[in-house]
Coordinates of all heavy atoms in Angstrom, one line a residue:
S227 N -26.6 1.6 3.3 CA -27.1 1.7 1.9 C -26.4 0.6 1.1 O -25.3 0.4 1.0 CB -26.7 3.0 1.3 OG -27.4 4.1 2.1
S228 N -27.3 0.0 0.3 CA -26.8 -0.9 -0.8 C -26.9 -0.2 -2.2 O -26.3 -0.6 -3.1 CB -27.6 -2.2 -0.9 OG -29.0 -2.0 -1.1
C229 N -27.7 0.9 -2.2 CA -27.8 1.7 -3.4 C -28.2 3.1 -2.9 O -29.0 3.3 -2.0 CB -28.9 1.2 -4.3 SG -29.1 2.1 -5.8
C230 N -27.5 4.1 -3.5 CA -27.7 5.5 -3.3 C -27.6 6.3 -4.5 O -27.1 5.8 -5.5 CB -26.8 6.0 -2.1 SG -25.0 5.9 -2.6
E231 N -28.0 7.6 -4.4 CA -27.9 8.5 -5.6 C -27.6 9.9 -5.1 O -28.1 10.3 -4.1 CB -29.1 8.4 -6.5 CG -30.3 9.0 -6.0 CD -31.4 9.0 -7.0 OE1 -31.1 9.1 -8.2 OE2 -32.6 8.9 -6.6
K232 N -26.8 10.6 -5.9 CA -26.5 12.0 -5.6 C -27.7 12.8 -5.8 O -28.4 12.6 -6.9 CB -25.3 12.4 -6.5 CG -24.8 13.9 -6.2 CD -23.7 14.3 -7.1 CE -23.2 15.7 -6.8 NZ -24.3 16.7 -7.0
I233 N -27.9 13.7 -4.9 CA -29.1 14.6 -5.1 C -28.6 16.1 -4.8 O -27.6 16.3 -4.2 CB -30.2 14.2 -4.2 CG1 -29.8 14.3 -2.7 CG2 -30.8 12.9 -4.5 CD1 -30.8 14.2 -1.6
M234 N -29.5 17.0 -5.2 CA -29.4 18.4 -4.8 C -30.4 18.5 -3.6 O -31.6 18.4 -3.8 CB -29.7 19.3 -6.0 CG -28.8 19.2 -7.1 SD -27.1 19.6 -6.7 CE -27.3 21.4 -6.4
S235 N -29.9 18.8 -2.5 CA -30.8 19.0 -1.3 C -30.3 20.2 -0.5 O -29.7 20.0 0.6 CB -30.8 17.7 -0.5 OG -31.8 17.7 0.5
P236 N -30.7 21.4 -0.9 CA -30.2 22.6 -0.2 C -30.8 22.7 1.3 O -30.3 23.4 2.1 CB -30.7 23.7 -1.0 CG -31.8 23.1 -1.9 CD -31.5 21.7 -2.1
S237 N -31.8 21.9 1.5 CA -32.4 22.0 2.9 C -31.5 21.3 3.9 O -31.7 21.6 5.1 CB -33.8 21.2 2.9 OG -33.6 19.9 2.5
L238 N -30.6 20.5 3.5 CA -29.7 19.8 4.5 C -28.5 20.6 4.9 O -28.0 20.6 6.0 CB -29.2 18.5 3.9 CG -30.2 17.4 3.5 CD1 -29.5 16.2 3.0 CD2 -31.1 17.0 4.7
L239 N -28.0 21.4 3.9 CA -26.7 22.1 4.2 C -26.7 23.1 5.3 O -25.8 23.2 6.0 CB -26.2 22.7 2.9 CG -24.8 23.2 2.8 CD1 -23.8 22.1 3.2 CD2 -24.5 23.8 1.5
P240 N -27.8 23.9 5.5 CA -27.8 24.9 6.5 C -27.6 24.3 7.9 O -26.8 24.9 8.7 CB -29.2 25.6 6.4 CG -29.5 25.4 5.0 CD -29.0 24.1 4.6
S241 N -28.2 23.2 8.2 CA -28.0 22.5 9.5 C -26.6 22.0 9.7 O -26.0 22.2 10.8 CB -29.0 21.3 9.6 OG -30.3 21.8 9.6
V242 N -26.1 21.5 8.6 CA -24.7 21.0 8.6 C -23.7 22.1 8.8 O -22.8 22.0 9.7 CB -24.4 20.2 7.4 CG1 -22.9 19.8 7.4 CG2 -25.3 19.0 7.2
R243 N -24.0 23.2 8.2 CA -23.0 24.4 8.2 C -23.0 24.9 9.7 O -22.0 25.3 10.1 CB -23.5 25.4 7.2 CG -22.4 26.5 6.9 CD -22.9 27.5 6.0 NE -23.3 27.0 4.7 CZ -22.4 26.7 3.7 NH1 -21.1 26.9 3.9 NH2 -22.9 26.2 2.6
K244 N -24.2 24.9 10.3 CA -24.3 25.4 11.7 C -23.4 24.6 12.6 O -22.6 25.2 13.4 CB -25.7 25.3 12.1 CG -26.7 26.4 11.7 CD -28.0 26.2 12.4 CE -29.0 27.2 11.9 NZ -30.4 27.0 12.5
M245 N -23.5 23.3 12.5 CA -22.7 22.4 13.4 C -21.2 22.4 13.1 O -20.4 22.4 14.0 CB -23.2 21.0 13.3 CG -24.7 20.9 13.8 SD -25.2 19.1 14.1 CE -24.3 18.8 15.6
V246 N -20.9 22.5 11.8 CA -19.4 22.6 11.4 C -18.9 23.9 11.9 O -17.7 23.9 12.5 CB -19.3 22.5 9.9 CG1 -17.9 22.8 9.5 CG2 -19.6 21.1 9.4
S247 N -19.6 25.0 11.8 CA -19.1 26.3 12.2 C -18.9 26.4 13.7 O -17.9 26.8 14.2 CB -20.0 27.4 11.7 OG -19.6 28.7 12.1
E248 N -20.0 25.9 14.4 CA -20.0 26.0 15.9 C -18.8 25.1 16.5 O -18.2 25.6 17.5 CB -21.3 25.4 16.4 CG -21.4 25.3 17.9 CD -21.4 26.7 18.6 OE1 -21.7 27.7 17.9 OE2 -21.2 26.7 19.8
T249 N -18.4 24.0 15.9 CA -17.4 23.2 16.5 C -16.1 23.4 15.9 O -15.1 22.7 16.2 CB -17.8 21.7 16.3 OG1 -18.0 21.4 14.8 CG2 -19.1 21.3 17.0
K250 N -16.0 24.3 14.9 CA -14.7 24.6 14.2 C -14.2 23.3 13.6 O -12.9 23.1 13.6 CB -13.7 25.3 15.1 CG -14.2 26.5 15.8 CD -14.5 27.6 14.8 CE -15.0 28.9 15.5 NZ -15.4 29.9 14.5
Y251 N -15.0 22.5 13.0 CA -14.7 21.2 12.6 C -13.6 21.1 11.4 O -13.7 22.0 10.6 CB -15.9 20.4 12.2 CG -15.6 18.9 11.9 CD1 -15.4 18.0 13.0 CD2 -15.6 18.4 10.6 CE1 -15.2 16.7 12.7 CE2 -15.3 17.1 10.4 CZ -15.1 16.2 11.5 OH -14.8 14.9 11.2
S252 N -12.7 20.2 11.5 CA -11.8 20.0 10.4 C -11.8 18.5 10.0 O -11.9 17.6 10.9 CB -10.3 20.3 10.8 OG -10.2 21.7 11.0
G253 N -11.6 18.2 8.8 CA -11.7 16.8 8.3 C -12.9 16.5 7.4 O -13.6 17.5 6.9
I254 N -13.2 15.3 7.3 CA -14.4 14.9 6.6 C -15.5 14.4 7.5 O -15.1 14.0 8.5 CB -14.1 13.9 5.4 CG1 -13.6 12.6 6.1 CG2 -13.1 14.4 4.4 CD1 -13.6 11.4 5.1
A255 N -16.7 14.5 7.1 CA -17.8 13.9 7.9 C -19.0 13.7 7.1 O -19.2 14.4 6.1 CB -18.1 14.8 9.1
M256 N -19.9 12.8 7.5 CA -21.2 12.6 6.8 C -22.3 12.7 7.9 O -22.3 12.1 8.8 CB -21.2 11.2 6.2 CG -22.4 11.1 5.2 SD -24.0 10.5 6.0 CE -23.6 8.8 6.1
F257 N -23.2 13.7 7.6 CA -24.3 14.0 8.5 C -25.5 13.2 8.0 O -25.9 13.4 6.8 CB -24.6 15.5 8.5 CG -23.6 16.3 9.2 CD1 -22.3 16.5 8.7 CD2 -23.8 16.8 10.5 CE1 -21.3 17.3 9.3 CE2 -22.9 17.6 11.2 CZ -21.6 17.8 10.6
E258 N -26.0 12.3 8.8 CA -27.1 11.4 8.3 C -28.4 11.9 8.8 O -28.6 12.2 10.0 CB -26.9 10.0 8.8 CG -27.8 8.9 8.2 CD -27.4 7.5 8.7 OE1 -26.3 7.3 9.2 OE2 -28.2 6.7 8.4
F259 N -29.4 12.0 7.8 CA -30.8 12.4 8.1 C -31.8 11.4 7.7 O -31.5 10.5 6.9 CB -31.0 13.8 7.3 CG -30.2 14.9 7.7 CD1 -28.9 15.1 7.2 CD2 -30.7 15.9 8.5 CE1 -28.2 16.2 7.5 CE2 -29.9 17.0 8.9 CZ -28.6 17.1 8.4
K260 N -33.0 11.6 8.3 CA -34.1 10.7 7.9 C -35.4 11.6 8.0 O -35.5 12.4 8.9 CB -34.2 9.4 8.7 CG -35.1 8.4 8.0 CD -35.0 7.1 8.8 CE -35.7 6.0 8.0 NZ -35.7 4.7 8.7
K261 N -36.3 11.3 7.1 CA -37.6 12.0 7.1 C -38.6 11.5 8.1 O -38.6 10.3 8.3 CB -38.2 12.0 5.7 CG -37.5 12.9 4.7 CD -38.3 12.9 3.3 CE -37.7 13.8 2.3 NZ -38.4 13.8 1.0
D262 N -39.3 12.4 8.7 CA -40.4 12.0 9.7 C -41.6 11.8 8.9 O -41.7 11.9 7.6 CB -40.5 13.0 10.8 CG -40.8 14.3 10.4 OD1 -41.4 14.6 9.2 OD2 -40.7 15.3 11.1
S263 N -42.7 11.5 9.6 CA -44.0 11.3 8.9 C -44.5 12.5 8.2 O -45.4 12.4 7.4 CB -45.1 10.8 10.0 OG -45.2 11.8 11.0
N264 N -44.0 13.6 8.5 CA -44.4 14.9 7.8 C -43.5 15.2 6.6 O -43.7 16.3 6.0 CB -44.4 16.1 8.8 CG -45.5 15.9 9.9 OD1 -46.5 15.4 9.6 ND2 -45.1 16.2 11.1

Side-chain angles (χ1 to χ4, degrees):
S227 294
S228 62
C229 180
C230 60
E231 68 177 329
K232 182 182 181 296
I233 60 170
M234 298 296 292
S235 190
S237 62
L238 299 180
L239 192 58
S241 296
V242 175
R243 197 181 299 280
K244 282 183 184 179
M245 295 195 74
V246 167
S247 177
E248 176 67 20
T249 58
K250 305 298 181 185
Y251 187 77
S252 289
I254 63 168
M256 194 272 280
F257 291 72
E258 188 172 348
F259 295 82
K260 198 171 185 182
K261 287 183 177 180
D262 60 20
S263 57
N264 297 319

